[in-house]
Amino acid sequence: MKTQVAIVGAGPAGLLLGHLLRAEGIDCVVVERQTGDYVLSRIRAGVLERITVELMEQLGLDVRLRAEGLVEEGFNLADGERLIRIDVANLTGKTVVVYGQTEITRDLMDAAAPRGLEVIYEAGDVALHDIDSEAPFVTYAKDGVSQRIDARFIVGCDGFHGPSRQAIPASVGRSFERVYPFGWLGILADVPPCNKELIYANHERGFALASMRSHTRSRYYIDVPLTEKIEDWSDDRIWDELAVRLGPDAAARITRGPSIEKSIAPLRSFVFEPMRYGSLLLCGDAAHIVPPTGAKGLNLAASDVHYAAAALSGFFKRGDADAVAGYSEKALARVWKAERFSWSLTKLMHRFPDDGPFERRMQVAELDYIATSRAAQQTIAENYVGLPV
């Protein structure tokens, strides 16, 4: 098979890029090692920045998003009995939308065949070759038969553990990483949210987050040591802990119910540089991971895809190679700012095991400053709603 762009990974980043390229008349093929059902089963983020919403609008794939998405004008930081509301709409003139990553993926997946986007699922043993040349290719196995896709460019949208980043020589790439000493235990339940806006809580027993996926489906998190096992956490134990950490007002509005999904996810900050090597571009988790505190994972992938689609479109339609050459620098500038915000919010709202009285006083002072300073709130709001692309 020959194509102009081979995309590795059919998560939201790979599918979004495929649709954007097809809309520009650029040939592309997406290969994915998992089944489509498996891709849809992954429970992920749910807060969308403007860039993500605008790309779905640009593609005309925003019908369900507009009908079912919850427009959020602000969110809350809680410390003890105090609730600090960050009025995002008033401070920035923008909003975010709560709409699950699974739903974004479903919208993109359902539109693939009608729009001529070829997606090959259950592609095993995916490998990238000759990425330092102008004729790279991808090999994979399908139904026991070896296959090959020749392309002009390959875009790796295959996540942290995928083969794309691994294809870049160790002598070229450099990784930056911070592993956090706790994980997020998440519970998803078909119950109404306890609050119409998200609540991030810093409690002496640990962090908690009250979030939602819809008016009838809620997503909650607490931080736990990495040694914890999910089977030791019954639904009742999680609800009890949430009630304590979120504070009495939120606890009074919590509706308990059986979990649909429970899991513990470790937290890390990770960036790989460069995001382009030869004819390979990296997008999303293949190049960077953020702790979920800042709600940036999916949105960073979307901004990567925005830059990559523009660069590849310029190359194929106008013969402009400069945008491809500058892709990594442009994408990384936004990535590092989002990493900074996610890292700083994680530090502010979590109690770290090695922290002492000084670090706690710093958190209190920072929260006091945020509560009384419009400038501080505006900085948080600008980052939360998404910096310009």
Side-chain angles (χ1 to χ4, degrees), residues 25-352:
I26 297 169
D27 291 333
C28 59
V29 177
V30 185
V31 293
E32 166 61 49
R33 68 184 183 92
Q34 302 287 359
T35 66
D37 287 342
Y38 181 89
V39 173
L40 281 175
S41 72
R42 294 184 291 209
I43 305 296
R44 293 291 188 270
V47 178
L48 307 183
E49 294 179 2
R50 282 306 309 165
I51 178 60
T52 310
V53 174
E54 287 169 0
L55 289 176
M56 294 296 286
E57 291 172 346
Q58 177 182 328
L59 290 168
L61 297 177
D62 60 326
V63 174
R64 278 207 315 137
L65 192 160
R66 284 188 285 108
E68 302 175 17
L70 305 180
V71 177
E72 293 282 289
E73 297 185 347
F75 67 98
N76 303 276
L77 304 177
D79 185 23
E81 296 185 359
R82 174 175 53 179
L83 201 64
I84 305 168
R85 182 171 185 266
I86 308 298
D87 190 343
V88 172
N90 182 50
L91 292 163
T92 68
K94 301 176 182 178
T95 58
V96 296
V97 177
V98 173
Y99 188 69
Q101 178 172 320
T102 300
E103 305 309 317
I104 287 276
T105 306
R106 189 187 307 277
D107 294 338
L108 294 167
M109 191 178 288
D110 288 349
R115 297 192 174 194
L117 175 60
E118 183 173 2
V119 184
I120 301 168
Y121 291 100
E122 298 181 81
D125 301 322
V126 175
L128 287 65
H129 308 269
D130 294 351
I131 60 173
D132 57 346
S133 75
E134 294 185 357
F137 63 97
V138 174
T139 57
Y140 65 95
K142 176 74 173 178
D143 299 325
V145 179
S146 297
Q147 305 283 355
R148 169 171 168 157
I149 302 174
D150 290 281
R152 176 59 186 88
F153 289 99
I154 300 173
V155 184
C157 303
D158 49 349
F160 183 77
H161 299 289
S164 295
R165 187 179 70 252
Q166 316 301 330
I168 297 177
S171 60
V172 174
R174 184 181 181 188
S175 297
F176 303 84
E177 186 172 31
R178 168 72 188 273
V179 177
Y180 295 91
F182 40 73
W184 273 18
L185 190 162
I187 182 171
L188 186 70
D190 277 331
V191 295
C194 70
N195 196 61
K196 65 179 181 179
E197 296 177 339
L198 277 68
I199 302 175
Y200 293 81
N202 180 328
H203 189 272
E204 62 182 7
R205 290 179 62 88
F207 168 83
L209 170 62
S211 182
M212 72 287 288
R213 290 295 178 267
S214 70
H215 291 298
T216 58
R217 177 168 289 186
S218 298
R219 183 69 160 163
Y220 291 94
Y221 296 96
I222 55 174
D223 75 323
V224 296
L226 292 172
T227 53
E228 290 291 308
K229 294 180 172 60
I230 194 65
E231 53 266 27
D232 294 334
W233 285 85
S234 66
D235 287 1
D236 285 340
R237 185 185 178 191
I238 296 173
W239 291 120
D240 289 345
E241 191 66 25
L242 282 163
V244 172
R245 296 189 189 189
L246 288 171
D249 289 345
R253 299 190 300 270
I254 290 177
T255 302
R256 299 186 178 211
S259 61
I260 300 171
E261 187 269 351
K262 290 190 295 187
S263 59
I264 297 177
L267 269 64
R268 62 156 47 94
S269 296
F270 173 84
V271 179
F272 180 85
E273 297 182 356
M275 288 176 60
R276 181 193 72 89
Y277 173 72
S279 296
L280 170 65
L281 285 69
L282 300 178
C283 289
D285 288 359
H288 43 73
I289 300 287
V290 289
T293 325
K296 295 301 171 200
L298 172 60
N299 296 302
L300 266 189
S303 65
D304 291 347
V305 165
H306 166 74
Y307 294 135
L312 293 169
S313 178
F315 181 89
F316 287 113
K317 300 183 78 173
R318 300 186 302 276
D320 177 12
D322 290 343
V324 171
Y327 164 73
S328 179
E329 182 179 0
K330 178 175 282 191
L332 282 168
R334 195 172 192 272
V335 165
W336 275 113
K337 292 181 180 71
E339 290 279 356
R340 183 208 66 80
F341 175 67
S342 299
W343 165 76
S344 63
L345 195 58
T346 302
K347 281 181 56 182
L348 177 65
M349 301 307 295
H350 292 73
R351 309 286 178 101
F352 284 71

